[in-house]
């Protein structure tokens, strides 16, 4: 569904961040970033090499890997370290996310430059949001002003809970899917 279709189906203020991540515009931008980063987590180096396939009609498996340093012996007997992929076969999928390094109020998820978007696996992305706040900015006349905001303490910056997808698409009730909470400058936080 394109963003224009979404605007025809919902009032602008009813559209959640999760809704925006399902649009054709975001899926296209996400694909560009995944291809640029070679389907590799920029944090841990895990990469997705093969999508799901069926083995003997039983379970779905996925092959994924990580580049590792391996010492090899050359024909002359000398040793050399090389980078080689090591593969794993797992029933647990490697899920790759595209992470926004910062948020700019009023921008749609696909309206960010390449420097603001990086590929991260699910585990690294969740760990990042648990340990860090993503900076939020207000844009005025092409000038960015930092906004006092924190990562949502309820969803830890995920914006949704996949396990609760049946309840309002799993959108976090605290941040309403934005992944952050803007703090009033006059309000004290504890």
């Amino acid at each position: 569904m394109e963003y224009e279709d979404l605007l025809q189906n919902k009032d602008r203020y009813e559209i959640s961040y999760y809704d925006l991540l399902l649009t054709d515009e975001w899926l296209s931008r996400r694909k560009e970033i995944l291809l640029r980063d070679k389907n590799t987590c920029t944090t841990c180096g895990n990469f997705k090499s093969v999508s799901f396939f069926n083995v003997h009609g039983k379970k779905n498996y996925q092959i994924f890997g990580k580049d590792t340093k391996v010492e090899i012996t050359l024909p002359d007997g000398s040793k050399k370290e090389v980078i080689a992929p090591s593969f794993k076969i797992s029933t647990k999928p490697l899920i790759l996310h595209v992470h926004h390094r910062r948020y700019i109020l009023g921008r749609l998820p696909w309206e960010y430059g390449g420097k603001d978007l990086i590929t991260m696996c699910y585990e690294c992305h969740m760990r990042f949001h648990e340990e860090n706040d993503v900076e939020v900015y207000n844009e005025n006349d092409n000038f960015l002003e930092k906004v006092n905001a924190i990562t949502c303490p309820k969803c830890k910056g995920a914006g949704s809970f996949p396990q609760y997808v049946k309840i309002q698409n799993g959108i976090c009730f605290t941040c309403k899917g934005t992944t952050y909470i803007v703090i009033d400058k006059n309000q004290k936080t504890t």
Side-chain angles (χ1 to χ4, degrees), residues 119-136:
T119 302
M120 295 176 103
C121 69
Y122 172 81
E123 288 79 14
C124 289
H125 196 202
M126 291 303 104
R127 186 171 37 258
F128 176 88
H129 283 292
E130 286 173 5
E131 298 171 0
N132 305 281
D133 286 331
V134 176
E135 292 181 343
V136 179

Side-chain angles (χ1 to χ4, degrees), residues 87-187:
F87 293 98
K88 295 180 190 177
I89 298 178
S90 175
T91 56
K92 183 180 174 186
L94 175 67
I95 300 168
L96 295 175
H97 290 191
V98 173
H99 167 69
H100 286 74
R101 291 183 173 189
R102 63 181 175 177
Y103 297 115
I104 300 171
L105 299 176
R107 278 203 191 170
L108 296 168
W110 54 88
E111 295 179 333
Y112 288 80
K115 292 179 183 178
D116 289 327
L117 301 170
I118 58 170
T119 302
M120 295 176 103
C121 69
Y122 172 81
E123 288 79 14
C124 289
H125 196 202
M126 291 303 104
R127 186 171 37 258
F128 176 88
H129 283 292
E130 286 173 5
E131 298 171 0
N132 305 281
D133 286 331
V134 176
E135 292 181 343
V136 179
Y137 294 88
N138 208 352
E139 189 170 31
N140 294 317
D141 298 324
N142 293 330
F143 176 74
L144 296 179
E145 177 185 16
K146 191 172 176 188
V147 174
N148 192 13
I150 60 169
T151 298
C152 177
K154 186 74 170 176
C155 67
K156 306 278 192 256
S160 65
F161 298 94
Q163 65 270 34
Y164 298 116
V165 73
K166 292 183 181 180
I167 304 166
Q168 293 189 359
N169 286 331
I171 303 301
C172 176
F173 293 157
T174 304
C175 69
K176 297 177 180 56
T178 62
T179 72
Y180 57 85
I181 299 171
V182 175
I183 308 287
D184 184 348
K185 289 181 182 180
N186 300 321
Q187 179 184 358

Side-chain angles (χ1 to χ4, degrees), residues 63-77:
I63 296 176
F64 65 93
K66 185 176 192 171
D67 285 341
T68 15
K69 288 184 180 178
V70 179
E71 188 175 80
I72 61 168
T73 305
L74 298 173
D76 66 3

